[in-house]
Amino acid sequence: MADVQKDVPFKSAQVEALVVIKIVKHCSASFPTTATGSLVGMDNDGVLEITNAFPFPTVDVANTDGHQNDASSLAAAAPRAKANIAYQNEMIKHLKEVNVDANNVGWYTSATMGNFVSLNFIENQYHYQRDNDKTVALVHDVSRSSQGALSLRAFRLSPEFMAAYKEGKFTTESLQKSKLSFKDILVEVPVIVHNSHLLTTFLHQMPTLPETAEVPLPTSLNDISRDPARLPANPSFDALDLSIDPFLEKTCDLLLDSIEAHYTDLNNHQYYQRQLTREQFKITQWQTKRKAENAARVAAKQAPLPEDEWQRLFKLPQEPSRLEGMLNARQVEQYSKQVDGFTAAITSKMFAVRGNLLPE
């Protein structure tokens, strides 16, 4: 039975509404510091049902600007810390005692403007997915959610990236053999917010505001069934705002920072290639000189010198890992998609009022 359950393809992540509220509250209270926590639930025929969540203990760091980065770094690495692993196991043990789903199914983290693709995120998800393949990482974007629409996404590491990360080799040669690119790092899983039957019944029974001052009373049950309660229309003039979204400007700034980081990593790799070419040229010169010396020694009937001493005399530079560059490229793609989503609404507004903007 366990083998059959393991072979079922991963379909989606079903998150209970109460879990969503817990995650949103924790991430909003910790903003701008990164918030992390554990997810519990169970896998049901490829649908990962997340039924509960609890935060990891906060790190006691002085609340100053100089320690803000330290607090964020420690919070981002919290899911794989030994103390938090013991805390998570203890919490799951207590959940079993009260007959609650007590299977760890992943972790959650907060993000700002989609800035979550980092080495800490990869290491945390690898830590969970290595022991249990049916785990996800929920990412709650606090900045995007502040606009009124919930931003909750689920990610998993691809099997190809899991194999490459296990080997720990992210050289140019290994990436060419495995054909692994930045697009193959993360796999996004559809997120479904689920309400219990009791909550759904309560929402359907909530009274609505009357459309008129005088509400005619129904004369029979047939009148109620023929004329169900209708939600009142709530007009909003926010959609007519022509100002450029401030989140678009912030996303563009973050996009430029990611592009600069990508070019810095690219320059480091080009420096390595120049160093490697220089050392290989020196080795070639040394081998040519040694072959000429050995030819002269053989002609003089002397024992030739060893030709593999270059391995002791010369040291080839070690190729830097390309993982950081891949993560930067994946983050650039994330920002580009966000910019595309922001500009779609603004461009349509600009075309709508184009006649008033152009001079006559």
Short mmCIF file of all heavy atoms in Angstrom, two decimals, residues 10 39 45 65 71 82 96 105 231 286 298 304 338:
data_model
loop_
_atom_site.label_atom_id
_atom_site.label_comp_id
_atom_site.label_asym_id
_atom_site.label_seq_id
_atom_site.Cartn_x
_atom_site.Cartn_y
_atom_site.Cartn_z
N PHE A 10 2.24 13.79 -7.89
CA PHE A 10 1.89 14.93 -7.05
C PHE A 10 0.98 15.86 -7.84
O PHE A 10 1.34 16.36 -8.89
CB PHE A 10 3.16 15.66 -6.62
CG PHE A 10 3.02 16.41 -5.34
CD1 PHE A 10 3.45 15.87 -4.15
CD2 PHE A 10 2.43 17.66 -5.32
CE1 PHE A 10 3.33 16.56 -2.96
CE2 PHE A 10 2.30 18.35 -4.14
CZ PHE A 10 2.74 17.80 -2.96
N LEU A 39 4.61 22.66 8.63
CA LEU A 39 3.29 22.26 8.14
C LEU A 39 3.06 20.79 8.46
O LEU A 39 3.98 19.97 8.32
CB LEU A 39 3.18 22.47 6.62
CG LEU A 39 3.45 23.88 6.09
CD1 LEU A 39 3.47 23.87 4.57
CD2 LEU A 39 2.41 24.86 6.61
N ASP A 45 -3.85 10.48 -2.13
CA ASP A 45 -3.92 10.22 -3.58
C ASP A 45 -3.37 11.38 -4.40
O ASP A 45 -3.99 11.88 -5.34
CB ASP A 45 -5.37 9.93 -4.01
CG ASP A 45 -5.89 8.63 -3.44
OD1 ASP A 45 -5.05 7.74 -3.16
OD2 ASP A 45 -7.11 8.49 -3.25
N ASP A 65 18.89 48.24 13.33
CA ASP A 65 19.11 48.13 11.88
C ASP A 65 20.33 47.28 11.58
O ASP A 65 20.38 46.57 10.58
CB ASP A 65 19.29 49.53 11.27
CG ASP A 65 18.02 50.35 11.38
OD1 ASP A 65 16.95 49.73 11.52
OD2 ASP A 65 18.10 51.60 11.34
N ALA A 71 19.05 38.74 11.89
CA ALA A 71 17.79 38.12 12.30
C ALA A 71 17.12 37.44 11.11
O ALA A 71 16.58 36.33 11.24
CB ALA A 71 16.86 39.18 12.89
N LYS A 82 19.04 22.50 14.42
CA LYS A 82 18.86 21.33 15.28
C LYS A 82 17.83 21.59 16.37
O LYS A 82 17.00 20.72 16.68
CB LYS A 82 20.19 20.93 15.88
CG LYS A 82 21.21 20.39 14.87
CD LYS A 82 22.48 19.94 15.56
CE LYS A 82 23.47 19.37 14.55
NZ LYS A 82 24.74 18.94 15.20
N LYS A 96 -0.17 14.29 18.06
CA LYS A 96 -0.65 12.91 18.02
C LYS A 96 -1.50 12.59 19.24
O LYS A 96 -2.48 11.84 19.14
CB LYS A 96 0.54 11.94 17.95
CG LYS A 96 1.22 11.89 16.59
CD LYS A 96 2.35 10.86 16.60
CE LYS A 96 3.02 10.78 15.25
NZ LYS A 96 4.16 9.79 15.26
N VAL A 105 4.59 17.67 6.47
CA VAL A 105 4.44 17.74 5.02
C VAL A 105 5.15 18.95 4.43
O VAL A 105 4.89 19.32 3.29
CB VAL A 105 2.94 17.77 4.62
CG1 VAL A 105 2.27 16.45 4.97
CG2 VAL A 105 2.22 18.94 5.29
N LEU A 231 -25.85 39.13 -3.11
CA LEU A 231 -24.84 40.01 -2.54
C LEU A 231 -24.95 41.39 -3.17
O LEU A 231 -25.13 41.51 -4.39
CB LEU A 231 -23.43 39.45 -2.77
CG LEU A 231 -23.10 38.15 -2.05
CD1 LEU A 231 -21.72 37.67 -2.45
CD2 LEU A 231 -23.16 38.35 -0.53
N TRP A 286 55.71 23.94 -20.03
CA TRP A 286 56.58 23.09 -19.22
C TRP A 286 56.70 21.70 -19.83
O TRP A 286 57.79 21.12 -19.87
CB TRP A 286 56.02 23.00 -17.81
CG TRP A 286 56.89 22.23 -16.85
CD1 TRP A 286 57.89 22.72 -16.07
CD2 TRP A 286 56.84 20.82 -16.61
NE1 TRP A 286 58.47 21.71 -15.34
CE2 TRP A 286 57.84 20.53 -15.65
CE3 TRP A 286 56.06 19.78 -17.09
CZ2 TRP A 286 58.07 19.25 -15.18
CZ3 TRP A 286 56.29 18.50 -16.63
CH2 TRP A 286 57.28 18.24 -15.68
N VAL A 298 67.87 11.23 -23.80
CA VAL A 298 67.87 9.92 -24.48
C VAL A 298 68.99 9.86 -25.50
O VAL A 298 69.66 8.83 -25.67
CB VAL A 298 66.49 9.67 -25.14
CG1 VAL A 298 66.54 8.45 -26.05
CG2 VAL A 298 65.43 9.48 -24.06
N PRO A 304 65.49 9.33 -18.80
CA PRO A 304 64.59 10.49 -18.97
C PRO A 304 63.95 10.91 -17.63
O PRO A 304 63.76 10.10 -16.73
CB PRO A 304 63.53 9.98 -19.95
CG PRO A 304 63.51 8.51 -19.75
CD PRO A 304 64.93 8.11 -19.41
N GLN A 338 6.66 39.09 -12.44
CA GLN A 338 5.91 40.05 -11.66
C GLN A 338 5.75 41.38 -12.40
O GLN A 338 4.68 41.99 -12.37
CB GLN A 338 6.60 40.27 -10.31
CG GLN A 338 6.56 39.07 -9.39
CD GLN A 338 7.23 39.31 -8.05
OE1 GLN A 338 7.34 38.41 -7.24
NE2 GLN A 338 7.69 40.51 -7.81
#
